[in-house]
Structures are given as structure tokens and as C-alpha cells.
Amino acid sequence: MVAKILLIDDVEDVRELLDDALAAAGHDGTPIGLGSEGITILKGDEIFDIVITDILMPDSDGLEVILAAMEREPRPKIIAISGGGAMVPASITLGGAKLMADATLQKPFDEAKLLNTVQMVLA
């Protein structure tokens, strides 16, 4: 199944790598650099099968993005990603997300793990 994916990460290199991997697998990605922009898009009319969001971002964090995605009808599947921060390990940043997201991935992860996770949440 080809999925329409909203991809939100504040690091451009990460966005490009994820978007390229998803496109190579035939998915239609919409890469966004700001959590607030992702929230605005989620409040619009565009339908997404999956939202992949980083948790730690400077303007709006991934938990806010997840909450906005959960209000959608139909609700997209949610994959939370994080590498942690200077003061907080990824296991902590992803802990809260695990309660709301369909899947989590700890950075760094490889392309195969990303694509397997996408297929898992679509199944």
C-alpha cells in the first residue's frame, strides 16, 4: 500500500533522508520542518495515512503534533521519532509518545527499520 505521509522533523538532513527512503518505497511524503506548521496542516482538509513526527523540536513539540493528529477523522497512524536531547535521553522523550503513538523509533535508525515500521502501522 502506498501511504500519504506527513513527515515532521526540525533537522533538514533527517527530513531529507526519511523523505528519500519513503519515496524510494513508493510513499508520498510531505516533509515539514516545524511542529507548528505540521499542526496547521493537520487542522486543514488534507488527509494523511501516517504522521511521522520528531518529539523534540524548538517551536511545537511532537506531543502537540500527536494530539493534533489524534483529533483528525479519519485518524492517521502516528510514528514518533526521537534521538533525545542534551539533557533527556530518547527513552524518556519517547516514553510519553508510546502512550499515544502507534509506533516509536529511536534515532538513529536505518531505512529498513523505518520502512518496516511504516508497513506495520499500515497493516
Side-chain angles (χ1 to χ4, degrees):
M1 172 183 177
V2 173
K4 186 165 181 168
I5 302 173
L6 180 60
L7 172 60
I8 308 165
D9 196 300
D10 59 310
V11 179
E12 184 176 359
D13 288 345
V14 172
R15 272 194 322 272
E16 288 177 3
L17 286 170
L18 296 177
D19 191 40
D20 289 347
L22 294 167
H27 299 296
D28 178 16
T30 301
I32 302 296
L34 297 172
S36 58
E37 188 178 350
I39 291 168
T40 299
I41 289 171
L42 286 167
K43 290 183 178 181
D45 294 333
E46 199 167 356
I47 304 284
F48 293 94
D49 300 303
I50 300 175
V51 174
I52 298 176
T53 185
D54 191 12
I55 296 300
L56 297 179
M57 296 183 284
D59 69 324
S60 293
D61 67 36
L63 297 178
E64 293 173 278
V65 172
I66 291 170
L67 289 172
M70 291 175 70
E71 293 176 359
R72 294 293 310 257
E73 192 57 47
R75 178 195 174 281
K77 299 294 184 180
I78 301 165
I79 301 172
I81 61 174
S82 182
M87 304 291 281
V88 183
S91 60
I92 300 296
T93 60
L94 289 173
K98 286 182 181 181
L99 299 173
M100 300 180 285
D102 297 291
T104 60
L105 288 171
Q106 183 173 328
K107 296 177 188 175
F109 49 83
D110 61 25
E111 183 177 322
K113 186 158 181 105
L114 169 68
L115 297 176
N116 286 338
T117 303
V118 166
Q119 291 306 319
M120 179 196 71
V121 300
L122 288 173

